[in-house]
Amino acid sequence: MTRKNVDLKIKELKSNLGIMKDLRLSVGKVIDDSWEETIGPTPYPSITDLRNWDMKILQKYKPFYMPFCDLCCLCTYGKCDLSNNKRGACGLNMEAQQSRIVLLAACIGAATHTAHARHLVDELIEKFGRNYPLDVGGTNVEVEAPVTRLVTGIRPKTLGDLDTILDYLETQINHLLSATHTGQEGNNLDFESKVLQAGMVDQVGMEIADMAQVSCFGFPKADPNAPLVDLGFGAVDPTKPTIMVVGHNVPPAIGIMDYLNEKGLYGKIDVCGLCCTAHDITRYSSKAKIVGPISWQLRFIRSGLPDILVVDEQCIRADSLEEAKKIKAPLIASSSKNCLGLEDRTKDPVDEIVNDLVSGQVDGVLILDPEKVGEVAVRTAMEVAPKRKKFKIIPEIKDLIEIAKKCNLCNECRRACPNDQEIPKAMVSAGKGDLTKLEKIYEECIGCGRCEYVCPNEFPIHSFIVKAGEKKMKQEQYKIRAGRGAIQDVEIRRVGQPIIFGEIPGVVAFVGCANYPKGGEEVAEMIEEFAKRRFIVVTSGCAAMSAGMVKDEDGKSPYEKYPGNFDAGGLVNVGSCVSNPHIAGAAIKIASIFAKRNLRGNYEEIADYVHNRVGAVGIAWGAMSQKAASIASGFWRLGIPVIVGPHGSKYRRMLLGRKDRKEDWYVYDSRTGERVYGGPAPEHLFYAAETKEEAMVMIAKLCMRPNDNTKGRAIKLSHYIDLHKRFYGTMPDDIHLFVRRLSDIPITMKDEIVRILDEKGWKERIIPDPTLLPRMVRKKANKK
Amino acid sequence: MSDAPWQKAEVAGTKRALPLVKPEVVLAMLKRSKHPILVVGHKIVEIDLDGKKLIDFVIDIAKAGEIPIVATAHSVKEFLNREFQSVASMPVMDVANRLTDPEWKGLDGKGTYDLAFFIGLPYYMEWLILSGLKNFSGNLQTISLDGFYQPNATWSIPNISSKELREFFEALILKLGGQ
């Protein structure tokens, strides 16, 4: 608990020392020391306090740069040609420039989450007061803010405490962003260290945002049995007025639900959402519905279902107002970060705003008051719905066929498509009345609309694709478990040991956006694979939605098949983007609750623990945004590897280990101080996989940790080998690097593996109590 | 036939690939090379060139030119299914990262490579990998064989139709001494 900006003024003070007049004492920050846990070495770390840790990580996982651009055009010296690692006019070389751009992305991401948290906390403090208590799980969650405790060294108890932490985060982002200015940082690894700082800051910002909203809005509090809610386009009732909410900041959507409740209109209007506002509104009310991930915006708007769009912040299409206009649906912008050129009507009477929207006098309005948004949205939707009668701009099939006949096969659409979809061929077939190729494209389309923006004939190609997939789209009706928030302490106690020893083969977190190479079903397939294998599978954000958008032969979606508890074989939806720290938090809590390590301001030790012991992997198969970049960076600093899909290569820098360099994989055995070979576990820290098959093999491999006991390593190896054999048709060629003792070998594969080990000249080696930190060695005298 | 980037926004920097229009260039490059490699992505199984799979052309080229193959992602399985055994397997990110390392011993222990062919990767992924190699791999020459112009390669087949690509490969295989 802290208090900031304590300002004490004393007009006159008489004491034994004498009389003091006009005494004024200002203190920036007061730390309440009622918390008995010893404070660690790095509370509120500056941008260099954890640099040594970063360099250890970056020595193991060296950056591999793939410049997206050979030039730098950030100052008026430029453009500078940096190709072949040349230096620009400012002296910066290509490597540093790439890291600099990564840092910019991470700062944008961290700023976005932190500003979201700031927005929420300020608004909630105004509504509930600074002393409003935080509660993310009652007595089930005593370590209520693992990331915050770890980074800042404080235990937030009230909304006011969050305000103090935000000050720190904002300062850090400011420093980090300033480092990207021309003539500041000049070394690529120092840029990378700052990327990791941005990621760490981002994790705290997200944790604050989710703590605030869970505490104040009554979201599920660490509840494994959070309700199952409707998911998919087909879940929306086309006979009802429909309000569509898009974005990440939930208060305006809550304003809508509250107004509906107050007026007894629940059930008469459908409220549905896309992206993280959708997650969070279903955490508030299970009556709300999730249409799908961010990429579904165009297809859903053009279908004509929404009678009004309410957009808040982040991941909203910049052309949402234009798209809404096309279907004659008004739009309300509700965030100061996304005003869309609309007039600010916050202070106008509701009747006037509704009248202007319903009559079409204005296409949209800006309203920066969530409660007012609620009333305006509901009343407008009810009046607009009968007028527009679900007016859509998806063409009829006969029109589509006629237009398709006129396609001149210029290939512009295909060359603009991020996934190189063969649209021209599909157009030829469509011209002949066969829509099956367009329908197939619907399944893999990421919904960007670039195909039609480049069409020289201005054909509405994306709408054609949606039309071809319309039947399937209307059948999309699934269930998703509402975001549960934190992981309970008791769950951590139950799984801590089997995770640390490897007997639960891994914690696999599917997170991030929907820029998939071949549709969202690949995410669902991967999740099914690892849930069946009894890994702990965690989801958040748009990936959590994609995870639910399949059904088995019994008509059940994965969230209906697998329990929501944090245990082997569980499928745990923590919630929206800002819920991601519950995943990192679970790893941190293993160190705290199971291993009894101090968290408080003790980042390096805990990251070392997590990196060497907790077999966790993040998969951001459709990672698209700068926020995804900063989220990943937060996991990297904890030593948790992240796999991205092929589009993730566009983040232009990987962090790759080299298993062929034995010297990179030595750790200290903390029992003896000996430096011992720990094996390439995990082999990479940031890695783009080409296909889902490659990703699945790599997930299993990256779950291995030096600390695995022999039973755990045998279990992990059996999954790795099994997946490798299935997808690659061969045994992996690196088994000898992961077998430390014969007892590590899965019993059913013993003969085959022993033969391989013999061929490789393998020798038994010790299983260390691993650490990268010399100070963690217990027998100092033996330390080399 | 065009030497503009296939994905139009993927414009190059100051250094652009030379268009590879004649199979003789491949022969000349191979002749000069002491240690070539053919990096093969998963799309070789998906792509059909007028009735013959890309993977089958790749096998014919590798055999005729005696070029070692490294198959990325899960594509190794398709080589083995075709009973083509002389293929290594490695994730493309690992291959690319190692190709920037002059100390790398190579997949065969014979040292680093001086010529790398690429085929069958997602266009944008290959674009980025070739960019990484262009900027950080020293003397490595790269050749893109996809038939979709890759500006970051040293040489790239321009944007050509699948029929033209088939003809290119057939001519190349013949010139390499294959059938």
Side-chain angles (χ1 to χ4, degrees):
Chain A
M1 291 181 292
T2 64
R3 292 291 176 269
K4 68 169 186 174
N5 301 332
V6 174
D7 200 7
L8 184 69
K9 288 180 188 171
I10 299 171
K11 193 73 186 162
E12 186 173 312
L13 176 68
K14 288 180 183 171
S15 74
N16 294 340
L17 296 171
I19 298 170
M20 285 179 270
K21 288 189 175 176
D22 293 325
L23 175 70
R24 182 170 181 179
L25 179 68
S26 284
V27 181
K29 200 178 290 172
V30 175
I31 296 181
D32 174 357
D33 226 0
S34 62
W35 188 10
E36 289 171 0
E37 190 169 306
T38 309
I39 197 154
T42 55
Y44 289 108
S46 74
I47 58 173
T48 51
D49 282 350
L50 292 164
R51 185 167 173 259
N52 286 345
W53 168 251
D54 298 338
M55 293 305 168
K56 284 183 199 303
I57 289 279
L58 293 166
Q59 280 306 309
K60 258 171 107 172
Y61 306 102
K62 292 187 175 65
F64 168 56
Y65 298 107
M66 299 174 287
F68 220 176
C69 178
D70 288 351
L71 311 176
C72 177
C73 52
L74 283 176
C75 82
T76 65
Y77 280 140
K79 300 177 180 177
C80 289
D81 174 16
L82 306 180
S83 60
N84 293 99
N85 216 16
K86 288 196 285 287
R87 293 185 187 275
C90 67
L92 204 67
N93 68 8
M94 180 64 105
E95 287 180 330
Q97 170 69 359
Q98 297 311 302
S99 297
R100 181 190 187 197
I101 300 292
V102 176
L103 176 57
L104 269 172
C107 283
I108 293 170
T112 306
H113 287 136
T114 303
H116 177 192
R118 168 60 77 192
H119 200 125
L120 273 171
V121 168
D122 283 355
E123 207 165 284
L124 293 171
I125 283 177
E126 198 177 318
K127 198 167 180 180
F128 299 104
R130 295 184 64 84
N131 293 326
Y132 190 85
L134 300 174
D135 176 11
V136 297
T139 53
N140 292 322
V141 183
E142 285 184 12
V143 182
E144 75 302 298
V147 184
T148 302
R149 285 185 178 202
L150 179 66
V151 174
T152 66
I154 73 162
R155 236 178 358 174
K157 295 288 181 197
T158 65
L159 283 175
D161 292 337
L162 301 183
D163 180 32
T164 310
I165 300 161
L166 282 168
D167 289 349
Y168 161 73
L169 304 181
E170 287 155 353
T171 304
Q172 291 305 300
I173 294 166
N174 215 8
H175 285 309
L176 291 166
L177 187 57
S178 74
T180 66
H181 190 273
T182 303
Q184 294 260 44
E185 188 57 78
N187 177 272
N188 69 311
L189 291 184
D190 267 309
F191 271 123
E192 297 291 354
S193 169
K194 290 174 172 65
V195 168
L196 300 180
Q197 177 85 355
M200 182 195 73
V201 163
D202 182 55
Q203 289 277 336
V204 180
M206 290 188 289
E207 186 172 80
I208 285 178
D210 212 40
M211 285 183 78
Q213 60 183 8
V214 168
S215 301
C216 297
F217 295 142
F219 290 0
K221 295 183 193 300
D223 181 4
N225 299 310
L228 288 164
V229 298
D230 289 324
L231 166 70
F233 187 100
V236 180
D237 185 345
T239 66
K240 291 178 184 173
T242 302
I243 300 173
M244 167 188 175
V245 295
V246 193
H248 285 73
N249 188 38
V250 75
I254 286 178
I256 292 165
M257 297 308 285
D258 285 349
Y259 186 78
L260 288 173
N261 195 31
E262 184 191 319
K263 299 293 175 188
L265 293 170
Y266 261 155
K268 292 182 181 160
I269 286 184
D270 254 3
V271 179
C272 62
L274 288 95
C275 216
C276 284
T277 294
H279 266 304
D280 287 338
I281 194 61
T282 57
R283 294 167 86 186
Y284 185 71
S285 167
S286 57
K287 290 173 182 163
K289 297 167 179 177
I290 299 175
V291 172
I294 170 179
S295 313
W296 271 233
Q297 284 178 69
L298 269 188
R299 66 176 66 164
F300 189 63
I301 294 172
R302 290 184 182 185
S303 74
L305 273 188
D307 293 299
I308 187 165
L309 275 71
V310 178
V311 299
D312 51 85
E313 62 173 79
Q314 304 167 44
C315 302
I316 297 155
R317 286 191 66 95
D319 57 0
S320 52
L321 182 61
E322 286 73 21
E323 289 292 330
K325 264 191 242 179
K326 290 178 190 169
I327 60 160
K328 302 178 183 176
L331 179 143
I332 300 173
S334 61
S335 167
S336 54
K337 293 162 200 146
N338 180 27
C339 301
L340 294 173
L342 295 167
E343 188 181 347
D344 186 353
R345 304 289 297 271
T346 308
K347 293 183 178 159
D348 288 359
V350 169
D351 288 347
E352 280 180 25
I353 306 172
V354 171
N355 184 55
D356 286 353
L357 289 171
V358 173
S359 65
Q361 282 187 43
V362 294
D363 299 315
V365 292
L366 174 66
I367 304 175
L368 301 173
D369 173 346
E371 288 174 16
K372 188 173 268 187
V373 169
E375 183 176 352
V376 173
V378 172
R379 288 178 51 187
T380 305
M382 292 189 75
E383 289 192 45
V384 163
K387 289 186 171 187
R388 55 178 297 279
K389 296 178 181 144
K390 303 291 181 190
F391 178 77
K392 63 180 181 181
I393 55 164
I394 306 295
E396 295 304 321
I397 286 179
K398 63 177 173 41
D399 297 331
L400 189 165
I401 292 170
E402 284 310 307
I403 298 171
K405 284 177 185 169
K406 295 173 190 159
C407 174
N408 58 9
L409 305 178
C410 67
N411 255 335
E412 292 292 305
C413 49
R414 182 179 170 189
R415 294 178 70 177
C417 174
N419 285 331
D420 197 25
Q421 295 286 355
E422 296 198 51
I423 300 167
K425 280 189 184 171
M427 291 290 276
V428 171
S429 297
K432 295 173 185 168
D434 175 10
L435 301 188
T436 51
K437 285 183 180 156
L438 274 178
E439 189 181 356
K440 177 79 172 66
I441 290 173
Y442 167 82
E443 288 169 18
E444 297 185 2
C445 173
I446 59 163
C448 69
R450 282 194 339 207
C451 48
E452 65 181 47
Y453 302 140
V454 297
C455 178
N457 296 318
E458 298 184 0
F459 293 161
I461 299 170
H462 184 67
S463 295
F464 289 179
I465 294 168
V466 175
K467 182 64 189 177
E470 194 175 36
K471 191 176 167 194
K472 184 177 187 306
M473 189 166 78
K474 287 180 177 170
Q475 290 168 348
E476 289 169 359
Q477 200 167 352
Y478 313 95
K479 291 286 183 187
I480 180 173
R481 196 172 296 286
R484 58 168 281 177
I487 308 304
Q488 294 179 6
D489 296 2
V490 68
E491 291 177 292
I492 297 293
R493 279 189 199 99
R494 197 178 303 126
V495 299
Q497 181 167 326
I499 289 176
I500 293 307
F501 291 141
E503 292 153 12
I504 288 178
V507 181
V508 185
F510 289 85
V511 304
C513 336
N515 188 15
Y516 304 126
K518 288 187 177 175
E521 284 193 10
E522 289 195 331
V523 173
E525 189 182 332
M526 288 191 270
I527 281 171
E528 184 87 26
E529 182 70 42
F530 286 94
K532 272 188 198 162
R533 288 174 180 272
R534 298 191 60 74
F535 285 63
I536 300 175
V537 180
V538 187
T539 61
S540 69
C542 287
M545 299 175 191
S546 300
M549 297 181 90
V550 290
K551 283 182 181 172
D552 65 8
E553 58 276 12
D554 298 324
K556 285 186 175 177
S557 47
Y559 291 102
E560 296 169 281
K561 281 165 65 180
Y562 299 102
N565 50 328
F566 191 80
D567 205 342
L571 177 53
V572 185
N573 175 21
V574 291
S576 57
C577 277
V578 293
S579 307
N580 275 307
H582 300 309
I583 303 170
I588 293 166
K589 280 163 68 157
I590 289 171
S592 163
I593 294 169
F594 166 69
K596 311 283 184 207
R597 302 278 183 115
N598 283 351
L599 289 191
R600 191 178 186 186
N602 195 22
Y603 194 94
E604 189 181 58
E605 181 184 332
I606 297 300
D608 179 63
Y609 182 94
V610 170
H611 178 55
N612 284 301
R613 288 170 164 78
V614 180
V617 182
I619 298 93
W621 195 240
M624 169 278 293
S625 66
Q626 297 85 20
K627 292 194 303 155
S630 61
I631 292 168
S633 311
F635 284 105
W636 301 333
R637 201 177 222 184
L638 283 167
I640 297 174
V642 176
I643 298 171
V644 284
H647 283 294
S649 55
K650 296 174 195 168
Y651 284 115
R652 78 195 72 200
R653 187 275 273 119
M654 301 283 112
L655 295 170
L656 302 175
R658 284 284 297 272
K659 65 185 176 188
D660 55 327
R661 284 188 183 155
K662 192 172 180 187
E663 65 275 18
D664 288 353
W665 304 102
Y666 278 78
V667 295
Y668 291 102
D669 184 344
S670 65
R671 292 167 301 212
T672 64
E674 292 288 326
R675 286 193 75 231
V676 297
Y677 179 65
E683 185 181 352
H684 300 301
L685 204 55
F686 186 45
Y687 171 91
E690 190 185 329
T691 63
K692 67 175 190 299
E693 291 85 356
E694 180 186 337
M696 283 192 267
V697 172
M698 190 55 80
I699 289 167
K701 180 152 88 162
L702 292 186
C703 283
M704 285 189 260
R705 292 295 180 277
N707 189 68
D708 298 337
N709 68 14
T710 56
K711 184 180 170 192
R713 180 57 64 91
I715 291 169
K716 291 183 181 186
L717 271 173
S718 70
H719 290 294
Y720 171 45
I721 293 169
D722 182 53
L723 285 164
H724 199 284
K725 280 186 167 179
R726 176 159 33 124
F727 293 128
Y728 290 61
T730 60
M731 283 290 276
D733 62 2
D734 54 3
I735 297 171
H736 59 294
L737 303 177
F738 298 105
V739 177
R740 302 152 306 170
R741 293 167 180 245
L742 289 174
S743 45
D744 282 348
I745 301 173
I747 193 77
T748 55
M749 304 174 182
K750 194 151 192 175
D751 293 345
E752 193 179 7
I753 293 178
V754 167
R755 199 165 49 245
I756 293 169
L757 296 181
D758 287 345
E759 285 167 14
K760 298 275 185 186
W762 172 88
K763 288 190 175 61
E764 263 199 354
R765 56 182 197 263
I766 65 164
I767 300 173
D769 183 9
T771 177
L772 299 179
L773 306 173
R775 69 182 171 87
M776 298 308 295
V777 173
R778 295 195 285 276
K779 278 192 178 177
K780 299 275 183 189
N782 290 341
K783 192 177 71 183
K784 287 186 177 174
Chain B
M1 191 176 290
S2 154
D3 61 353
W6 171 249
Q7 289 199 324
K8 294 188 91 173
E10 305 288 9
V11 290
T14 52
K15 203 170 149 190
R16 279 167 49 95
L18 295 163
L20 171 60
V21 290
K22 292 183 178 172
E24 287 82 356
V25 175
V26 177
L27 262 69
M29 298 288 283
L30 271 173
K31 202 172 173 185
R32 269 190 292 182
S33 169
K34 288 179 182 154
H35 200 193
I37 190 168
L38 175 50
V39 183
V40 180
H42 77 284
K43 289 171 83 74
I44 50 157
V45 189
E46 297 170 4
I47 296 170
D48 187 285
L49 297 181
D50 293 335
K52 184 172 174 180
K53 290 278 184 195
L54 191 52
I55 184 171
D56 296 315
F57 282 106
V58 166
I59 290 171
D60 290 346
I61 292 167
K63 280 181 180 171
E66 296 179 2
I67 313 169
I69 290 179
V70 58
T72 69
H74 59 292
S75 56
V76 64
K77 190 173 184 180
E78 292 300 325
F79 286 99
L80 300 178
N81 287 345
R82 284 165 164 76
E83 297 182 348
F84 184 80
Q85 300 290 336
S86 53
V87 57
S89 172
M90 188 179 265
V92 73
M93 282 298 153
D94 280 336
V95 179
N97 188 28
R98 283 160 171 72
L99 284 171
T100 62
D101 175 10
E103 305 293 317
W104 184 36
K105 303 293 181 207
L107 289 157
D108 51 10
K110 294 177 183 170
T112 193
Y113 298 91
D114 57 2
L115 177 64
F117 296 90
F118 285 84
I119 191 165
L121 290 160
Y123 182 83
Y124 52 89
M125 212 176 183
E126 188 172 318
W127 193 101
L128 283 151
I129 285 165
L130 289 168
S131 169
L133 297 177
K134 180 176 84 173
N135 283 293
F136 299 110
S137 70
N139 297 322
L140 179 73
Q141 305 273 302
T142 57
I143 298 181
S144 172
L145 296 174
D146 289 294
F148 300 106
Y149 180 71
Q150 284 284 1
N152 290 317
T154 315
W155 292 85
S156 173
I157 296 178
N159 302 320
I160 56 176
S161 68
S162 56
K163 181 172 171 287
E164 289 168 316
L165 187 61
R166 182 183 173 122
E167 287 165 2
F168 183 96
F169 287 151
E170 285 170 345
L172 175 62
I173 292 161
L174 276 177
K175 285 182 190 299
L176 287 169
Q179 295 182 342

